[in-house]
């Protein structure tokens, strides 16, 4: 007999004389003549009530069905007499597949998120994390849907790379050399030519540069994969391993890029509202009371667009004292980003045209500016509660200016020969961005810490599981 998912049983339109369910016991309550079991199989937030009658021969097994045990139930789906649910299952056959002993750490009482992180191998069985990871799965699907429907091609960019896309120098080394006894060059340095790839390699911080290769062939592409950053940031929004979605579009400028970013974020929110309604309702009850209102608000209105120069003016005129002083040329810090989106504009804001000196080498230089106020066609999308969720730009398609940007950032042209070739052969204006998938999930769920929207967080000092 095929298995029925709890979700489908709960949505049934008619009783069913013979169904099979498999899942884990959330709670069990024993009365004199029967036991109630709440069964959850991860297909939905809500569990299904199972009634095991004491007259059933299998009733002898019920005492072994503790919270956390896995069970298999054959039975009849009938209309529930009790309140709270439409359907329940009266068991005809009841089997315990795997007992859970009394040390099972997920009991009915609420646990702190910190404690649940320590049991990341069991937390997906809790209501909160079941909901988070169902939404995560759904949104991954919605990412592909959004781009595929618009004619974008999915590109798998490499995870091991020899180039630093962001030029920020915070990359994890990949090597097979023996750390205790590496081969040396005559002058005593580690001889990377003898390493696995014959050169120094790293885990990628971004698939963008390779994405550009494909955009200048297939026109519109996107990547969606893990990226790695060895920044020693102990914040609620930084992880050393996170997933990024990076569209790259040929024949597109910064405005087109900002339009795409806005449509994309709205698509993901709309999709979650439509397909994860029960889970979002749960978040709005137990995680963030304003969540649903905020998501509706974000969907309804166009995002504000504000140049970096205007943003600095707003920040200096705000009368606030900043931990990080702000003036033209300084990077916007989290406190500034949050002021703009949470207090000043009170909605998502795309800040664009940043100083050239503080942004990546590949961003397109804006024309006609004074030498001390040069900007690039960069954009960051900031949202309330989190700050930056998207970073993107129009790319420098002019060979001479790209070389100039590389020199400004002290990059070795030779290492980027293939990237420069894209400007030698059929160069086109093009633009793209990166959305941090976990930050998007934080925004959609209201969950405040990045460690709680990724199955197994990689942060400084933690790589258990
Ligand atoms: O702004 P970033 O560094 O941009 C890039 O990597 C570009 N190559 C993207 C592109 O234009 N194709 O990163 C993009 C996004 C950020 O806005 C943020 O949401 C997320 O990636 N991000 C992180 N998320 C979690 N932990 C970290 N340490 C992150 N660093 C960046
Ligand atoms: Mg950024």
């Amino acid at each position: 007999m095929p298995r029925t998912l709890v979700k489908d049983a709960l949505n049934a339109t008619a009783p069913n004389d013979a169904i099979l369910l498999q899942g884990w016991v959330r709670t069990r309550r024993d009365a004199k003549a029967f036991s109630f079991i709440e069964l959850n199989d991860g297909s939905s937030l809500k569990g299904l009530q199972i009634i095991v009658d004491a007259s059933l021969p299998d009733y002898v097994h019920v005492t072994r069905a503790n919270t956390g045990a896995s069970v298999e139930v054959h039975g009849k789906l009938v209309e529930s007499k009790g309140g709270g649910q439409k359907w329940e299952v009266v068991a005809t056959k009841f089997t315990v597949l795997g007992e859970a002993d009394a040390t099972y750490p997920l009991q009915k009482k609420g646990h702190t998120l910190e404690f649940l992180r320590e049991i990341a191998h069991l937390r997906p069985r809790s209501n909160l994390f079941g909901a988070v990871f169902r939404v995560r799965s759904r949104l991954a699907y919605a990412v592909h849907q959004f781009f595929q429907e618009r004619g974008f091609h999915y590109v798998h960019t490499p995870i091991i790379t020899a180039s630093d896309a962001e030029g920020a120098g915070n990359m994890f080394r990949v090597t097979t050399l023996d750390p205790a006894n590496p081969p040396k060059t005559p002058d005593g340095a580690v001889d990377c030519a003898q390493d696995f790839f014959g050169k120094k390699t790293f885990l990628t911080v971004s698939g963008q540069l390779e994405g550009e290769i494909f955009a200048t062939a297939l026109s519109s592409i996107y990547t969606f994969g893990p990226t790695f950053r060895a920044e020693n940031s102990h914040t609620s929004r930084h992880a050393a391993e996170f997933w990024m979605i990076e569209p790259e579009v040929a024949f597109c400028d910064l405005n087109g890029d900002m339009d795409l970013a806005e449509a994309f974020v709205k698509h993901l929110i709309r999709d979650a509202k439509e397909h994860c309604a029960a889970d979002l309702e749960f978040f709005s009850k137990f995680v963030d009371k304003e969540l649903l209102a905020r998501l509706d608000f974000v969907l309804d209105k166009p995002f504000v667009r504000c140049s970096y120069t205007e943003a600095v003016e707003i920040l200096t005129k705000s009368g606030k004292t900043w931990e990080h002083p702000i003036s033209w040329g300084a990077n916007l810090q989290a406190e500034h980003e949050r002021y703009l989106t949470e207090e000043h504009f009170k909605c998502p804001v795309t800040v664009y045209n940043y100083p050239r000196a503080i942004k990546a080498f590949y961003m397109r230089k804006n024309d006609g500016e004074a030498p001390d106020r040069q900007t690039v066609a960069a954009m960051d999308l900031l949202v309330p509660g989190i700050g930056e969720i998207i970073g993107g730009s129009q790319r420098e398609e002019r060979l001479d200016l790209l070389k100039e940007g590389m020199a400004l950032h002290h990059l070795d042209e030779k290492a980027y020969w293939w990237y420069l070739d894209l400007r030698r052969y059929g160069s086109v204006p093009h633009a793209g961005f990166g959305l941090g998938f976990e930050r998007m999930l934080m925004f959609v769920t209201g969950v405040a810490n990045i460690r709680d929207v990724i199955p197994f967080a990689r942060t400084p000092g933690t790589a258990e599981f």
Side-chain angles (χ1 to χ4, degrees):
M1 181 189 291
R3 171 191 186 197
T4 301
L5 292 176
V6 166
K7 171 186 77 165
D8 296 329
L10 290 170
N11 289 329
T13 49
N16 186 337
D17 269 353
I19 68 168
L20 164 65
L21 294 138
Q22 293 160 326
W24 293 266
V25 175
R26 278 294 172 82
T27 54
R28 192 187 85 225
R29 194 159 53 82
D30 299 323
K32 233 191 214 123
F34 46 80
S35 289
F36 286 120
I37 286 172
E38 192 200 336
L39 185 80
N40 191 292
D41 63 4
S43 61
S44 71
L45 181 70
K46 215 168 159 355
L48 185 62
Q49 175 158 279
I50 311 287
I51 296 167
V52 192
D53 200 283
S55 64
L56 198 74
D58 282 345
Y59 191 73
V60 290
H61 303 306
V62 162
T63 52
R64 290 163 48 229
N66 290 334
T67 297
S70 51
V71 299
E72 183 170 277
V73 184
H74 288 263
K76 293 181 202 304
L77 185 73
V78 298
E79 269 183 60
S80 176
K81 290 182 209 90
Q85 68 265 320
K86 183 149 185 266
W87 300 104
E88 61 192 19
V89 168
V90 177
T92 51
K93 202 169 155 228
F94 183 85
T95 319
V96 175
L97 300 174
E99 293 179 34
D101 71 35
T103 58
Y104 183 64
L106 279 177
Q107 299 299 333
K108 191 81 187 169
K109 69 176 166 69
H111 297 291
T112 66
L113 293 173
E114 288 77 11
F115 171 72
L116 290 166
R117 272 173 223 147
E118 288 168 20
I119 52 162
H121 59 310
L122 296 171
R123 72 176 183 171
R125 297 193 205 176
S126 66
N127 279 336
L128 176 68
F129 288 95
V132 165
F133 294 121
R134 273 188 299 275
V135 173
R136 187 176 170 115
S137 166
R138 176 68 215 185
L139 286 193
Y141 180 72
V143 164
H144 288 291
Q145 200 182 33
F146 178 84
F147 288 114
Q148 295 284 338
E149 281 173 0
R150 283 165 181 74
F152 284 62
H153 302 283
Y154 181 31
V155 175
H156 296 115
T157 50
I159 287 173
I160 299 174
T161 177
S163 51
D164 182 354
E166 291 306 297
N170 49 14
M171 302 179 86
F172 288 102
R173 267 301 289 283
V174 174
T175 177
T176 53
L177 296 180
D178 176 2
N181 188 23
K184 298 273 176 70
T185 57
D187 55 6
V190 173
D191 186 5
C192 295
Q194 292 190 47
D195 205 343
F196 192 90
F197 297 104
K199 53 159 72 171
K200 258 193 185 173
T201 50
F202 309 88
L203 294 178
T204 190
V205 296
S206 157
Q208 179 196 322
L209 303 191
E210 292 89 351
E212 286 183 52
I213 294 177
F214 276 80
T216 52
L218 305 183
S219 285
S220 299
I221 66 94
Y222 66 106
T223 72
F224 184 6
T227 47
F228 307 86
R229 299 203 181 174
E231 337 168 60
N232 198 13
S233 306
H234 296 260
T235 78
S236 57
R237 26 173 242 146
H238 286 90
E241 175 178 311
F242 63 97
W243 285 62
M244 194 168 18
I245 298 119
E246 295 183 275
E248 191 69 36
V249 190
F251 314 103
C252 179
D253 64 10
L254 187 68
N255 279 320
D257 201 33
M258 293 194 281
D259 291 345
L260 182 70
E262 181 167 342
F264 181 41
V265 165
K266 287 183 171 172
H267 171 82
L268 295 182
I269 294 173
R270 220 175 283 119
D271 187 89
K273 284 191 56 182
E274 189 178 337
H275 295 280
C276 308
D279 292 326
L280 292 197
E281 228 165 82
F282 175 83
F283 298 131
S284 74
K285 232 188 228 159
F286 296 106
V287 176
D288 177 352
K289 297 260 184 293
E290 268 126 57
L291 179 70
L292 293 177
R294 188 165 62 243
L295 294 180
D296 281 337
F297 173 81
V298 167
L299 281 182
D300 279 352
K301 294 215 315 188
F303 297 175
V304 169
R305 290 183 191 172
C306 160
S307 73
Y308 167 87
T309 303
E310 288 165 326
V312 169
E313 255 167 45
I314 291 167
L315 293 165
T316 34
K317 284 189 189 145
S318 68
K320 293 241 166 192
T321 40
W322 304 108
E323 197 182 317
H324 306 271
I326 183 77
S327 62
W328 203 97
N331 227 330
L332 298 185
Q333 302 293 330
E335 56 174 337
H336 308 128
E337 295 178 344
R338 296 190 59 167
Y339 174 81
L340 290 171
T341 174
E342 287 165 27
E343 293 183 53
H344 187 81
F345 291 114
K346 296 192 168 61
C347 78
V349 188
T350 312
V351 180
Y352 63 93
N353 288 353
Y354 282 77
R356 192 183 191 196
I358 58 169
K359 285 290 186 182
F361 73 93
Y362 53 72
M363 296 184 176
R364 189 179 196 278
K365 182 176 163 300
N366 287 317
D367 299 316
E369 291 171 330
D372 62 331
R373 284 234 163 178
Q374 285 191 352
T375 62
V376 283
M379 62 102 169
D380 279 358
L381 173 59
L382 317 175
V383 297
I386 296 166
E388 178 190 337
I389 60 168
I390 282 181
S393 67
Q394 186 171 341
R395 320 307 187 186
E396 186 55 81
E397 85 283 14
R398 299 160 296 186
L399 183 62
D400 52 334
L401 286 166
L402 180 59
K403 286 184 173 177
E404 192 183 293
M406 291 181 118
L408 205 70
H409 288 86
H410 311 290
L411 295 176
D412 178 12
E413 274 181 28
K414 276 197 254 50
Y416 293 85
W417 65 273
W418 48 269
Y419 191 68
L420 291 165
D421 263 6
L422 301 180
R423 278 73 184 166
R424 290 191 180 103
Y425 309 124
S427 190
V428 288
H430 61 292
F433 63 79
L435 169 72
F437 191 49
E438 285 75 22
R439 293 207 185 156
M440 186 66 206
L441 283 166
M442 291 167 71
F443 189 57
V444 169
T445 60
V447 169
N449 198 309
I450 197 164
R451 293 165 180 78
D452 300 325
V453 293
I454 190 162
F456 304 103
R458 298 290 177 257
T459 50
T462 28
E464 192 71 45
F465 308 104

